[in-house]
Amino acid sequence: MRVLIGFSNAIPELAQKRPLPGRERAGDEILCLQKEGGDICYTPGMTWQQVLDACPKGWHPDIYVHRSPEYHPLPAGLEHADCFTVGVFGDWNLGGYAIRSVAEVFDWLVADLGGCQILRDMGFSNVEHALLWGYNPQQHRLLPGYENDAHRDIEMLFIGSFHPYIHSRRTQMLARVARLSTKYRVLLASGIYGQAYTQLMNRAKIVFNHSVRGECNMRAYEAAACGALLFNEADNLEIGLVFRDGEECVLYTEDNLEERIAFYLAPENTEERLRIAAAAHARVQQHTDAHHLAKLLDKLEFLYQQWRLTDRKSRLFRHRPTSQRQHRLLIHWLRMPTLDGLSCVQQSLAKEGSHPSSLFLRGFAAAELALQTPDSPASTVHLLEAKQLLERQLVQNPQDLAALYSLSRVERALGQEESAWHRLHVLHARLQAGEHPLAWPLFPHHYEVLDIRLESLWLQYSPESPEGLEGARKTLLGHTTAQLSTYHFERGEFSLAANYAQEAIAYLPEDGWMHTLFARAQRALGNWQRSLPAYRKALEYHPFLFEAVEEAAKLLMDIGRKEEAITLLNERLPLFEAASGTETLCDTLRSLLQKAQQMPPPSAPSELFYFLAIPSWSQESDWKCLVNAFWQHASRQAQARLLLWFNPQGDADKTVVTALRQYLQQLAPEASSKVFLIAQPLALEERWKLVRSVKALLRGGDAAPFWEELANAVNLPIYSLEDLREARFATNISMEKRTCL
């Protein structure tokens, strides 16, 4: 049987032209289509006919297997192939749009058990299950000397992705594993490949695993191949097809994870752990990538023989209008995480000027091309082209919210901030009004949070369905409000930032970053009663969210809650200590912990009544009038004090200090004991500390709206100079105050 495989895993038997295990008598002729290193070199924009032309003379496939259409572009015209075509959806959780747009190209679809159910729910009946993952025995193997515990110095190991949006459940479980680093040697790592990966696996006594789709993933096989004890989630859909609990692996639940870890790491149970690991190592020898490909070909050979007897024109995709097929294929190509084919896509799109989305997709392609050459003149040229095309698209179709969003991102990349944020505010208003974005890619498309959520949405609903459109609207609205929250926070408009963050939480309630944005804005307003619960909620969803840990700890220290800060840092530090590449983060947390431990006990509340004023220092009459009014009041009130703040401006500091000192001497010798100048640089988000350390704010100065917003957020009284002169204010304000500076 002649088989052409597009974008296959690296399988030694294929590279060395050896028969697959179990198919020695099948007489298979297998060629690989790859970008590099294959029998046939794939080039961007390749058509199916060009693929056939690149095959050896007289060689024609019986079966074409295309792996991961969610990552690899289909050759144009594949729907007309006169061979049996198979699409293998591996990471189907990130391929919602790919399945919806191009799965109809294939005669048959292959996926893991979870993916098969998803495909059937979408209406596909031509579905076959297969174990899609395995391992390469030339790389993943038991190294000499690691047959027992002699060199296995890592007690719990995980190597893989920490992506909190793709692997949310895994992240929660990893946090529990990391907390055990105070008792065991735990290492959580990512971005490690090749020999370094194999070496780490061989050093592990236990390898922790948690799949993303309920599949028996690569790590399960690789751990066993390297002689470690595999810990796998018990509700995995496929693990039982390969390993048995207590015989070749250990299955854990959310209720018994720590208990099972303690049991198998106990010295008295070493032999039991080694026995299970050895049994898994023996069994996994029949589960290499080559073994699994051979079993897949066994199934496909049977299906191929049946297909030969049926109507070969049954592929739904080939019956769609030509323009629709071309449109779907181009969007499919543009959504690929690789950018190789963007120029080819642009050329194809330029010929389709009449299509309603042509300008948008050309603009999107130009913007993505800019990412290939960041910080270069070519990047700017591509961005300017993208801006022009997207603007034309909006003139042609003002309802295209995808173009509006992408244009705002392009303008931000060009540094055109004012226009970009204006467009985002317009987009927010239109989304709130119920308008729906079209189901087109959004720039940038590299599996950012927005992309991941949309892919998940389209697994459930067709992008063009009412449910799909409404889901996309809410998803985009959540991310738009989050961006607007960040924008207003950076401008010091903290109430607006908090409002937008709260709206984002309403749309994306389980996103820890949205809770962090809300916590950050409330902290900047001095409203720690709302900020701290939001930080805790953020860490509940994202246990490894460093910003939330650091900011919450600093806030607790700022408000004098020393013991809570120490508890938080002691609880979270082990998570980062267990993870590789976090040395700088750990140093930061240890430094905070040391500062918290050295904090003095809270002082008793002061009986003094402190006013805070932020005068216009550039106008001498302004601050003199303020000081004079206060002094008239202070001469009658022994407990009154005035704090004057200004942001240090270098050489101007001396002038301000000298002028104020001279004026206080003119008022009275004792005036300097009641009026204090605070010349301390404070970032916008730190100025709440000044407000929290006083009992009233005096209105005035160029920045009055900003300071009054801070005062209003914590119900701090705001008085005018006339109030001060006439003593129209409350003196019995029952507010807990501690100095935060």
Side-chain angles (χ1 to χ4, degrees):
M1 186 170 65
R2 290 179 171 180
V3 182
L4 176 61
I5 301 179
F7 312 103
S8 67
N9 291 342
I11 299 177
E13 285 82 352
L14 298 185
Q16 299 162 15
K17 300 303 177 185
R18 294 189 283 116
L20 295 172
R23 291 188 61 86
E24 289 82 1
R25 297 181 181 181
D28 296 329
E29 296 179 25
I30 303 176
L31 298 182
C32 295
L33 173 68
Q34 296 275 44
K35 293 180 181 178
E36 296 178 0
D39 302 295
I40 301 170
C41 180
Y42 170 83
T43 56
M46 212 172 197
T47 67
W48 175 245
Q49 187 57 52
Q50 289 171 328
V51 171
L52 294 179
D53 293 342
C55 293
K57 187 176 181 179
W59 194 94
H60 191 282
D62 299 311
I63 300 176
Y64 173 64
V65 179
H66 191 99
R67 292 185 65 99
S68 295
E70 63 272 24
Y71 297 141
H72 303 299
L74 272 61
L78 180 60
E79 67 271 20
H80 298 296
D82 59 352
C83 64
F84 185 58
T85 58
V86 180
V88 181
F89 287 89
D91 287 355
W92 51 262
N93 58 307
L94 298 177
Y97 198 90
I99 295 173
R100 297 283 183 183
S101 60
V102 300
E104 294 177 353
V105 169
F106 300 102
D107 294 303
W108 218 262
L109 306 176
V110 175
D112 57 38
L113 281 175
C116 286
Q117 187 58 55
I118 288 290
L119 290 167
R120 292 189 182 102
D121 290 344
M122 288 183 176
F124 295 100
S125 58
N126 53 333
V127 176
E128 185 69 32
H129 167 257
L131 292 172
L132 298 182
W133 313 106
Y135 74 102
N136 183 344
Q138 293 185 355
Q139 177 182 339
H140 309 110
R141 63 198 187 282
L142 186 60
L143 299 177
Y146 288 91
E147 297 83 359
N148 51 43
D149 275 5
H151 296 97
R152 293 188 180 268
D153 58 323
I154 301 173
E155 291 174 298
M156 286 291 297
L157 173 68
F158 170 81
I159 308 177
S161 172
F162 285 73
H163 200 300
Y165 298 102
I166 297 177
H167 303 282
S168 57
R169 188 178 173 209
R170 175 194 290 176
T171 303
Q172 298 291 331
M173 302 305 290
L174 282 175
R176 291 172 59 175
V177 173
R179 289 190 181 98
L180 299 175
S181 62
T182 57
K183 185 176 181 181
Y184 307 112
R185 182 168 186 192
V186 178
L187 177 62
L188 311 181
S190 61
I192 298 177
Y193 308 99
Q195 186 60 30
Y197 180 95
T198 301
Q199 185 71 36
L200 270 182
M201 282 286 194
N202 274 265
R203 289 173 55 193
K205 294 179 180 179
I206 296 175
V207 168
F208 176 85
N209 189 36
H210 195 293
S211 69
V212 65
R213 296 174 297 274
E215 82 286 9
C216 192
N217 60 12
M218 296 171 67
R219 191 180 305 103
Y221 302 105
E222 293 161 355
C226 294
L229 175 62
L230 171 66
F231 259 55
N232 212 92
E233 80 273 14
D235 57 357
N236 187 286
L237 299 175
E238 293 186 333
I239 193 70
L241 301 177
V242 183
F243 302 118
R244 297 167 295 174
D245 185 24
E247 296 296 328
E248 295 94 13
C249 71
V250 173
L251 301 182
Y252 64 84
T253 67
E254 292 187 0
D255 295 329
N256 67 10
L257 174 63
E258 289 83 0
E259 175 187 341
R260 303 213 83 178
I261 290 173
F263 177 86
Y264 284 100
L265 287 179
E268 62 271 22
N269 297 319
T270 298
E271 290 187 10
E272 176 70 359
R273 171 168 50 80
L274 293 176
R275 179 190 68 79
I276 297 174
H281 182 264
R283 174 162 294 208
V284 84
Q285 304 307 312
Q286 304 302 312
H287 289 279
T288 67
D289 289 323
H291 281 89
H292 287 178
L293 178 58
K295 291 180 179 179
L296 175 59
L297 292 186
D298 288 343
K299 295 181 178 182
L300 296 183
E301 186 172 19
F302 174 76
L303 293 171
Y304 165 66
Q305 296 300 336
Q306 291 187 317
W307 172 81
R308 293 177 63 187
L309 303 176
T310 62
D311 179 8
R312 303 185 187 185
K313 298 181 180 180
S314 60
R315 298 166 191 154
L316 293 176
F317 197 78
R318 69 189 301 173
H319 300 298
R320 295 191 177 277
T322 301
S323 60
Q324 187 182 79
R325 297 202 310 270
Q326 292 175 340
H327 182 65
R328 281 194 181 191
L329 188 64
L330 288 171
I331 292 184
H332 164 68
W333 276 42
L334 285 175
R335 296 182 70 85
M336 295 296 99
T338 57
L339 306 177
D340 296 346
L342 287 173
S343 296
C344 294
V345 174
Q346 276 192 313
Q347 294 172 13
S348 298
L349 286 166
K351 302 174 185 178
E352 297 185 24
S354 60
H355 195 284
S357 67
S358 179
L359 290 170
F360 168 77
L361 296 177
R362 287 169 60 192
F364 177 87
E368 291 287 334
L369 278 170
L371 300 182
Q372 288 186 315
T373 53
D375 304 320
S376 71
S379 176
T380 302
V381 170
H382 289 309
L383 288 172
L384 290 172
E385 179 187 6
K387 175 179 168 68
Q388 180 190 49
L389 289 165
L390 291 171
E391 286 177 333
R392 288 173 57 193
Q393 171 69 8
L394 284 171
V395 171
Q396 178 177 292
N397 184 3
Q399 306 306 312
D400 189 348
L401 300 190
L404 183 59
Y405 176 82
S406 297
L407 180 55
S408 74
R409 295 295 296 263
V410 167
E411 288 180 331
R412 285 171 63 185
L414 285 167
Q416 299 171 0
E417 297 288 337
E418 184 175 349
S419 176
W421 289 114
H422 171 71
R423 293 188 195 277
L424 209 62
H425 279 96
V426 171
L427 173 65
H428 175 261
R430 291 175 62 178
L431 288 169
Q432 274 195 322
E435 292 187 47
H436 294 112
L438 298 175
W440 295 345
L442 299 171
F443 173 76
H445 179 79
H446 292 284
Y447 292 99
E448 292 187 345
V449 180
L450 179 57
D451 305 316
I452 293 165
R453 289 205 164 99
L454 289 175
E455 293 291 353
S456 179
L457 173 70
W458 289 327
L459 288 174
Q460 303 175 61
Y461 308 109
S462 168
E464 294 81 15
S465 69
E467 297 87 353
L469 290 170
E470 179 60 12
R473 183 188 73 85
K474 290 181 177 179
T475 301
L476 182 56
L477 185 52
H479 286 271
T480 299
T481 52
Q483 292 179 55
L484 290 174
S485 176
T486 301
Y487 166 73
H488 288 287
F489 183 89
E490 292 173 351
R491 289 167 58 93
E493 297 164 349
F494 301 132
S495 291
L496 274 175
N499 291 340
Y500 278 116
Q502 194 164 30
E503 183 183 342
I505 291 170
Y507 292 109
L508 304 169
E510 296 184 0
D511 189 328
W513 184 247
M514 305 303 167
H515 291 278
T516 300
L517 293 178
F518 181 73
R520 184 175 286 170
Q522 292 292 349
R523 175 183 182 271
L525 288 167
N527 193 347
W528 58 265
Q529 295 93 337
R530 300 191 70 184
S531 180
L532 285 174
Y535 278 126
R536 294 190 186 102
K537 183 63 72 173
L539 291 172
E540 177 184 330
Y541 292 121
H542 289 188
F544 293 91
L545 189 52
F546 175 79
E547 292 90 341
V549 177
E550 181 184 29
E551 292 172 20
K554 288 181 176 179
L555 176 56
L556 286 167
M557 294 165 64
D558 286 337
I559 62 176
R561 293 165 72 161
K562 168 182 176 178
E563 296 304 323
E564 290 182 56
I566 292 173
T567 299
L568 172 67
L569 291 167
N570 278 328
E571 178 189 87
R572 295 290 163 173
L573 185 56
L575 273 66
F576 296 95
E577 289 177 330
S580 65
T582 60
E583 291 79 8
T584 301
L585 305 184
C586 290
D587 288 344
T588 299
L589 296 184
R590 292 190 193 102
S591 176
L592 281 176
L593 180 59
Q594 184 178 18
K595 290 179 181 177
Q597 291 168 336
Q598 295 173 351
M599 285 177 61
S603 57
S606 174
E607 297 297 325
L608 299 177
F609 194 102
Y610 281 95
F611 293 92
L612 173 65
I614 319 294
S616 299
W617 293 102
S618 60
Q619 300 178 34
E620 187 173 287
S621 59
D622 181 81
W623 63 262
K624 283 186 175 180
C625 181
L626 190 152
V627 171
N628 188 55
F630 169 77
W631 183 246
Q632 292 179 32
H633 168 74
S635 63
R636 305 190 301 270
Q637 298 289 336
Q639 303 300 318
R641 299 291 186 273
L642 176 64
L643 301 182
L644 299 172
W645 180 82
F646 81 106
N647 228 4
Q649 302 293 324
D651 293 339
D653 299 356
K654 296 179 181 179
T655 303
V656 170
V657 172
T658 300
L660 178 63
R661 182 180 298 153
Q662 291 175 349
Y663 188 68
L664 292 176
Q665 287 293 326
Q666 294 174 12
L667 284 176
E670 63 272 23
S672 59
S673 65
K674 290 194 173 187
V675 179
F676 304 95
L677 182 67
I678 302 178
Q680 181 176 358
L682 286 174
L684 287 172
E685 62 269 23
E686 299 294 330
R687 294 179 186 179
W688 64 273
K689 298 177 184 180
L690 276 173
V691 172
R692 191 175 182 275
S693 65
V694 300
K695 289 192 174 182
L697 176 71
L698 291 182
R699 180 176 285 118
D702 296 333
F706 173 84
W707 291 96
E708 290 181 19
E709 179 183 44
L710 297 186
N712 288 326
V714 293
N715 297 317
L716 187 75
I718 303 173
Y719 299 125
S720 67
L721 295 188
E722 191 62 28
D723 294 330
L724 195 66
R725 294 188 184 98
E726 302 297 328
R728 294 197 297 262
F729 55 88
T731 58
N732 58 343
I733 299 173
S734 57
M735 297 176 62
E736 179 190 3
K737 296 290 171 187
R738 293 192 184 94
T739 301
C740 298
L741 299 176

